[in-house]
């Protein structure tokens, strides 16, 4: 296993709530109705009259130690040893939903077939994956979203930050 893994880096101060990343992902992967591998979420903080808000672009974080892989009874979720991508083998998924309950950003999605699906870093598409610029990143007009090689500490810090920001 390498000492670095791929991970999304999101800069909330650059996000303009355009939903381009969400739309690009949905269009690229042709996900079904209600299924969003990447989604825009709005969060509010503070108490009236001192309220402020921010926007997040949420998808699977491809965690350093993904809880979803641990709780999956069917072994349908695996972490790629070279890239750190957390990948799903849909044919093994039994649709139990344990991965969704375990995920801090609720990344797992369930399509009409009842099987889990989620962001795969466009791993299955070499034309996209090799550039390290999946459609969600290319579509972002402000460069709020990027895919970078991260050390374990950087990845843990990124996960902690996104988990804290994503709490409802």
């Amino acid at each position: 296993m390498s000492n670095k893994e791929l991970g999304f880096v999101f800069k909330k101060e650059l996000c303009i709530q355009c939903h381009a990343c969400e739309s690009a992902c949905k269009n690229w992967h042709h996900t079904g109705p209600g299924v969003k591998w990447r989604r825009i979420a709005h969060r509010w903080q503070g108490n009236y009259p001192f309220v402020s808000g921010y926007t997040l672009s949420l998808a699977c974080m491809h965690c350093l130690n993904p809880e979803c892989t641990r709780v999956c009874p069917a072994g349908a979720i695996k972490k790629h040893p070279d890239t750190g991508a957390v990948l799903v083998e849909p044919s093994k998924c039994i649709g139990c939903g344990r991965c969704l309950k375990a995920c801090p950003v609720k990344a797992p999605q369930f399509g009409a077939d009842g099987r889990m699906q989620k962001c795969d870093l466009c791993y299955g598409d070499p034309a996209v994956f090799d550039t390290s610029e999946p459609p969600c990143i290319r579509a972002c007009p402000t460069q709020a979203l990027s895919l970078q090689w991260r050390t374990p500490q950087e990845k843990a810090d990124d996960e902690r930050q996104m988990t804290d920001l994503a709490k409802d």
Side-chain angles (χ1 to χ4, degrees), residues 68 71-77 88-99 109-111 113-117:
C68 60
V71 301
C72 180
I77 310 167
V88 179
E89 195 172 330
S91 63
K92 289 185 176 180
C93 178
I94 59 173
C96 68
R98 290 181 187 172
C99 54
Q109 301 284 293
F110 293 84
D113 65 358
R115 293 180 176 167
M116 195 270 266
Q117 53 183 290

Side-chain angles (χ1 to χ4, degrees), residues 32-109:
V35 175
K36 293 181 181 180
W37 290 9
R38 175 164 295 282
R39 69 188 186 286
I40 296 299
H42 304 281
R43 297 292 187 259
W44 300 98
Q45 59 190 13
N47 295 308
Y48 178 82
F50 307 105
V51 177
S52 63
Y54 56 92
T55 303
L56 298 173
S57 177
L58 295 171
C60 177
M61 294 184 295
H62 302 275
C63 295
L64 194 58
N65 297 301
E67 188 67 11
C68 60
T69 61
R70 189 187 70 74
V71 301
C72 180
I77 310 167
K78 303 279 188 221
K79 184 172 172 121
H80 191 278
D82 297 328
T83 63
V86 178
L87 305 171
V88 179
E89 195 172 330
S91 63
K92 289 185 176 180
C93 178
I94 59 173
C96 68
R98 290 181 187 172
C99 54
L100 179 60
K101 290 177 187 163
C103 180
V105 297
K106 306 301 178 214
Q109 301 284 293

